Amino acid sequence: LCVDPENDHTFWFTTQYPGSGGSRLTKIASFEFTPAALNAMFSVSSNSPCAGTSVSFTDQSAGAPVSWSWAFAGGTAATSSSQNPQVTYNVAGSYDVQLIVSDGTVSDTLSETDFIQALATPGQAAKPAGPADVCQGDDAAHYTTLSVPFATSYAWSVNPPEAGTFTGNDTVASLSVSEIFAGAMRIKVQALNDCGSGVVSDSLLVN
């Protein structure tokens, strides 16, 4: 088996076939291999990194490309010719990514809008709003806070802890008041994401 020196998609080989009188004859034959069409594709280790951390891009293009041209809006570095580059996003925000691949003859482009969502640690949550007076055993006292940029969840707390328990980890949560607690309590909330925790809110006094 050998490759045609003028066409690397054609392969030549020798084969035998029956001849007259039980003899075996040899002939030269060929077949063509058609490669996959060029198609730019890629993946990334995380499309929601924390600002200041790096992510790894992996080329997954079809069609045997031989060159790569990357563009990373908001990234460091902003461009790369590596097949599998690493990029750091230092500022939180949404960023486009583009990959152009070439097999030496033709090229293909993949552009992804807002592909990277770089996150920052959330800021301080707003002071909770809700009932300022509750009764022992209440199990449907709802409290709210404003949405904090980049927050993916919220941690609610009541002090003293024996006053009750919260359910819910969004901007709305429900307080179940202890049946035996009497007195004042303070409610706070904290915005969270995978990059860290924001400053705990000012407290709401509840009687």
Side-chain angles (χ1 to χ4, degrees):
L1 181 69
C2 64
V3 180
D4 191 314
E6 296 182 358
N7 178 1
D8 61 6
H9 297 164
T10 301
F11 296 81
W12 294 90
F13 63 98
T14 58
T15 184
Q16 292 186 331
Y17 62 96
S20 60
S23 63
R24 304 287 293 178
L25 301 178
T26 299
K27 69 176 181 179
I28 298 175
S30 68
F31 67 90
E32 286 205 4
F33 169 74
T34 302
L38 191 66
N39 185 20
M41 294 182 289
F42 61 83
S43 62
V44 68
S45 56
S46 172
N47 60 3
S48 55
C50 299
T53 62
S54 63
V55 294
S56 298
F57 286 86
T58 301
D59 169 54
Q60 295 184 327
S61 302
V66 297
S67 66
W68 301 263
S69 178
W70 298 84
F72 305 105
T76 304
T79 61
S80 176
S81 59
S82 298
Q83 182 178 7
N84 301 307
Q86 283 196 329
V87 182
T88 300
Y89 293 90
N90 292 309
V91 179
S94 301
Y95 300 106
D96 303 343
V97 176
Q98 182 184 78
L99 171 62
I100 303 173
V101 295
S102 173
D103 62 6
T105 302
V106 297
S107 62
D108 189 59
T109 301
L110 174 61
S111 298
E112 294 284 4
T113 302
D114 295 340
F115 185 73
I116 296 294
Q117 306 288 330
L119 303 177
T121 301
Q124 182 179 22
K127 180 179 178 179
D133 295 286
V134 294
C135 299
Q136 291 174 321
D138 279 354
D139 61 0
H142 298 299
Y143 292 88
T144 64
T145 187
L146 299 178
S147 178
V148 177
F150 304 110
T152 56
S153 64
Y154 296 80
W156 292 83
S157 62
V158 57
N159 189 48
E162 61 269 21
T165 57
F166 269 103
T167 56
N169 61 357
D170 209 333
T171 54
V172 179
S174 297
L175 175 65
S176 296
V177 182
S178 169
E179 294 180 351
I180 60 174
F181 179 80
M185 65 185 80
R186 291 189 176 273
I187 293 173
K188 297 181 180 181
V189 62
Q190 186 178 28
L192 314 171
N193 67 16
D194 290 340
C195 302
S197 306
V199 176
V200 178
S201 71
D202 294 335
S203 62
L204 172 67
L205 179 63
V206 177
N207 295 304

